[in-house]
Amino acid sequence: MGSKCLVRAAFTALSLMIFLLEIHQVLSKSSNRTVPPAIIVFGDSIVDPGNNNAIDTMIKCNFPPYGKDFAGHKATGRFSNGKVPGDMIASQLGVKEYVPAYLGTQLDDKDLLTGVSFASGACGYDPLTAQLMSVLTLDDQLNMFEEYKKKLKAIAGEKTADHIISKSMYIVMTGTDDLANTYFTTPFRSVEYDLASYIKFVVQSASSFFQKLYRSGARKIGVVGVPPIGCLPSQRTNAGGLERECVTSYNQAAIVLNSELSKEIERLNHTLSGSKIVYIDMYTPFLDLIQRPSSYGFEVTSRGCCGTGIFEVTLTCNSITAPPCEDVSKYVFWDTYHPTERAYDILIRKLMQRYGSTLN
């Protein structure tokens, strides 16, 4: 019995030493300007690694063929065939390879110390966008962040937790569904607002969220603008006519939203002391990918890889009725809303080259 107790005690001491070393590594990394201690993500399906798995919604993708090119060919709830932008940003910054979902995931201490994603597929800045699809609003995500902060303090102590919160990189990626779904597809906002007024409302909602996030301790925030939504396969099908062309009016709406969002972010940087909020232009490189696919080795831009590529997304993109294309590397889009892992990788590398030093 005595020898067993000694073994247990030695194992406990070793575990504690390893844990303390991990905390030390977090602090050491954060002293290097290029490596934040953690990546913390808010937004929609572009950066949801599986939070929707744990809530009562139909907006899920934790089944094949989603995840076919992810580690272990596992459908984690990421809305793509592989990794998503949160993972890629964390990897390129040297934090870790994957950013896990906060909900429905067995998170160990190291996961919490280095960051999680609170993002929920089909969310938007407009709270109605999430409510229509029974997913998490940005306020819901902020509430989870407050819960996360308490867990962080319990693990690392208040001083270290506060350091991690203030020095981490925050990524916000949403807004597409506000235009594509809530305004252009459903009648709920278009009967209440003209487009210019709705964009103003969305930007005001976004600004309110950024300020709440700042008050919760975030200082370094990367805000990714919306893509050319008129060129998403889903929007080509809905409003692109018989030829399924890019919808110019939808793209123009995205340009205006991005412009107004960028101006508001500039204003906030002058009013929120110590903040560094960076607007990240996703629209321009994404449109280039669509307009010059051969330059990047792509062949198909108007359809997704899943099924016919014309309407399949989430539940309709499944291995029973909608098997994937033979060569996903030729496709910009995985389903009718979300890019392939290879397209994401190209986009994120471009964005990190342009904004990486600014974010740090």
Side-chain angles (χ1 to χ4, degrees):
M1 288 293 291
S3 61
K4 287 183 179 179
C5 288
L6 286 172
V7 169
R8 282 198 210 98
F11 180 76
T12 301
L14 179 61
S15 298
L16 180 60
M17 287 175 64
I18 292 171
F19 175 63
L20 291 174
L21 178 61
E22 287 175 350
I23 293 179
H24 174 71
Q25 287 173 338
V26 167
L27 290 173
S28 298
K29 281 183 176 182
S30 66
S31 66
N32 182 338
R33 291 183 63 199
T34 62
V35 183
I39 300 290
I40 298 171
V41 184
F42 298 86
D44 59 23
S45 57
I46 301 298
V47 283
D48 179 358
N51 285 303
N52 278 13
N53 298 349
I55 62 177
D56 187 15
T57 178
M58 294 181 69
I59 312 300
K60 298 178 190 285
C61 59
N62 54 340
F63 45 82
Y66 286 96
K68 70 182 279 300
D69 299 306
F70 193 76
H73 308 292
K74 186 178 180 183
T76 59
R78 287 169 169 83
F79 290 75
S80 189
N81 60 306
K83 294 170 73 174
V84 293
D87 303 318
M88 295 170 180
I89 293 169
S91 178
Q92 289 193 33
L93 287 175
V95 178
K96 55 184 176 182
E97 284 302 305
Y98 305 102
V99 178
Y102 181 70
L103 295 180
T105 308
Q106 291 294 324
L107 299 171
D108 60 27
D109 292 343
K110 189 173 182 180
D111 288 327
L112 292 169
L113 285 167
T114 52
V116 296
S117 174
F118 303 101
S120 179
C123 165
Y125 290 116
D126 179 352
L128 180 62
T129 300
Q131 292 161 5
L132 288 171
M133 298 297 168
S134 300
V135 300
L136 303 171
T137 65
L138 286 175
D139 278 349
D140 292 332
Q141 295 179 36
L142 268 177
N143 289 338
M144 293 194 301
F145 177 57
E146 291 300 323
E147 182 182 85
Y148 162 82
K149 285 164 59 180
K150 292 176 184 177
K151 291 181 180 180
L152 206 58
K153 288 179 181 180
I155 294 168
E158 188 164 352
K159 183 178 179 181
T160 300
D162 287 345
H163 178 91
I164 292 170
I165 293 300
S166 65
K167 299 298 182 182
S168 289
M169 174 72 69
Y170 294 80
I171 301 295
V172 181
M173 197 175 297
T174 190
T176 298
D177 288 334
D178 292 325
L179 290 175
N181 292 343
T182 307
Y183 193 82
F184 288 127
T185 303
T186 69
F188 303 106
R189 290 304 195 195
S190 58
V191 297
E192 185 179 1
Y193 297 93
D194 62 27
L195 182 57
S197 299
Y198 183 65
I199 287 174
K200 184 177 180 180
F201 169 73
V202 169
V203 171
Q204 289 173 342
S205 299
S207 179
S208 175
F209 172 72
F210 302 149
Q211 291 175 68
K212 289 175 185 176
L213 187 55
Y214 172 85
R215 290 194 293 270
S216 292
R219 291 296 178 267
K220 193 183 300 181
I221 308 170
V223 179
V224 182
V226 300
I229 63 169
C231 293
L232 300 181
S234 60
Q235 304 312 303
R236 289 174 182 259
T237 300
N238 290 346
L242 293 176
E243 298 298 318
R244 299 184 62 255
E245 301 287 348
C246 288
V247 187
T248 303
S249 60
Y250 288 14
N251 282 351
Q252 186 59 37
I255 290 170
V256 175
L257 174 57
N258 286 334
S259 175
E260 294 303 312
L261 192 61
S262 177
K263 290 175 188 175
E264 180 61 14
I265 287 169
E266 186 176 352
R267 187 189 71 81
L268 289 176
N269 276 319
H270 288 96
T271 58
L272 301 178
S273 177
S275 68
K276 191 174 187 180
I277 310 175
V278 179
Y279 170 75
I280 298 172
D281 173 23
M282 170 74 86
Y283 185 100
T284 303
F286 204 152
L287 188 62
D288 190 56
L289 213 65
I290 292 166
Q291 292 180 335
R292 300 190 311 119
S294 61
S295 299
Y296 302 94
F298 293 110
E299 295 180 10
V300 185
T301 63
S302 63
R303 294 182 289 109
C305 168
C306 189
T308 65
I310 294 174
F311 67 89
E312 292 89 350
V313 64
T314 61
L315 295 179
T316 53
C317 175
N318 62 78
S319 56
I320 298 172
T321 65
C325 58
E326 289 187 6
D327 187 355
V328 67
S329 70
K330 295 178 180 178
Y331 286 71
V332 170
F333 291 95
W334 166 247
D335 58 24
T336 55
Y337 271 86
H338 308 100
T340 58
E341 180 183 54
R342 192 167 90 81
Y344 276 141
D345 185 61
I346 292 169
L347 289 169
I348 296 304
R349 287 182 186 278
K350 280 177 168 283
L351 295 181
M352 292 301 291
Q353 286 171 4
R354 180 174 177 183
Y355 298 99
S357 60
T358 307
L359 287 166
N360 285 304

